[in-house]
């Protein structure tokens, strides 16, 4: 079975990687575990991630782990991060082609010329 990552929310500011791993390793072996910190400080931003090697362990942790040193936690399955190259592929796919861009420019030019003709006719 594939690995499963858990998003852990409502962590205290003092949360550490070591303590988070200690709590979650009671369920089963933890593949990766980290607390997200504010840039340049040791202060926890209130969330972290725990990845288990076995999906069953992750599912069990979602049910069984309730708190971090007395503070109630909120757990959910982490969503996959969209990679930059995927974003650029999607943007490239949705971007207008060269022909479409030229067509739009042409329509704008014609529209501008038509407005000028109408304006000149209305002055006569």
């Amino acid at each position: 079975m594939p690995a499963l990552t858990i998003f852990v929310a409502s962590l205290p500011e003092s949360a550490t990687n070591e303590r988070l791993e200690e709590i979650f390793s009671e369920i089963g072996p933890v593949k990766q575990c980290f607390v997200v910190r504010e840039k340049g400080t040791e202060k926890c931003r209130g969330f972290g991630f725990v990845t288990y090697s076995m999906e069953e362990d992750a599912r069990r942790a979602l049910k069984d782990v309730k708190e971090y040193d007395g503070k109630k936690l909120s757990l959910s399955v982490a969503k996959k991060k969209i990679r930059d190259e995927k974003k650029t592929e999607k943007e490239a796919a949705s971007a207008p082609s060269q022909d479409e861009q030229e067509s739009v420019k042409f329509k704008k030019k014609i529209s501008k010329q038509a407005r000028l003709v109408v304006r000149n006719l209305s002055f006569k």
Side-chain angles (χ1 to χ4, degrees):
M1 287 198 168
L4 188 67
T5 301
I6 297 173
F7 174 74
V8 183
S10 302
L11 287 170
E13 289 181 3
S14 61
T16 64
N17 293 344
E18 294 77 19
R19 181 66 181 131
L20 191 65
E21 185 170 1
E22 186 181 314
I23 292 167
F24 281 86
S25 63
E26 291 176 9
I27 302 295
V30 172
K31 186 176 180 181
Q32 184 182 25
C33 176
F34 63 95
V35 169
V36 178
R37 305 192 178 287
E38 287 188 16
K39 227 174 207 173
T41 71
E42 289 297 308
K43 185 177 166 187
C44 173
R45 289 185 57 198
F47 64 96
F49 296 90
V50 178
T51 303
Y52 284 96
S53 299
M54 304 282 292
E55 186 176 347
E56 306 90 48
D57 292 337
R59 299 265 179 229
R60 199 168 126 228
L62 286 167
K63 291 179 191 171
D64 295 349
V65 177
K66 302 287 185 213
E67 56 184 48
Y68 180 105
D69 295 341
K71 184 169 182 191
K72 187 177 178 185
L73 294 175
S74 175
L75 306 178
S76 62
V77 175
K79 295 178 181 168
K80 295 204 183 283
K81 183 177 180 179
I82 297 174
R83 302 260 185 241
D84 287 341
E85 56 262 7
K86 287 183 182 176
K87 282 184 182 176
T88 55
E89 287 173 10
K90 286 181 182 176
E91 289 169 358
S94 66
S97 68
Q98 185 68 29
D99 290 342
E100 290 171 326
Q101 290 174 353
E102 288 178 19
S103 175
V104 169
K105 286 180 187 177
F106 179 74
K107 287 177 183 175
K108 286 181 180 177
K109 185 177 179 182
I110 294 297
S111 177
K112 185 177 179 181
Q113 289 174 346
R115 284 194 306 269
L116 288 173
V117 168
V118 169
R119 189 180 314 151
N120 287 339
L121 289 174
S122 63
F123 285 114
K124 291 183 179 179

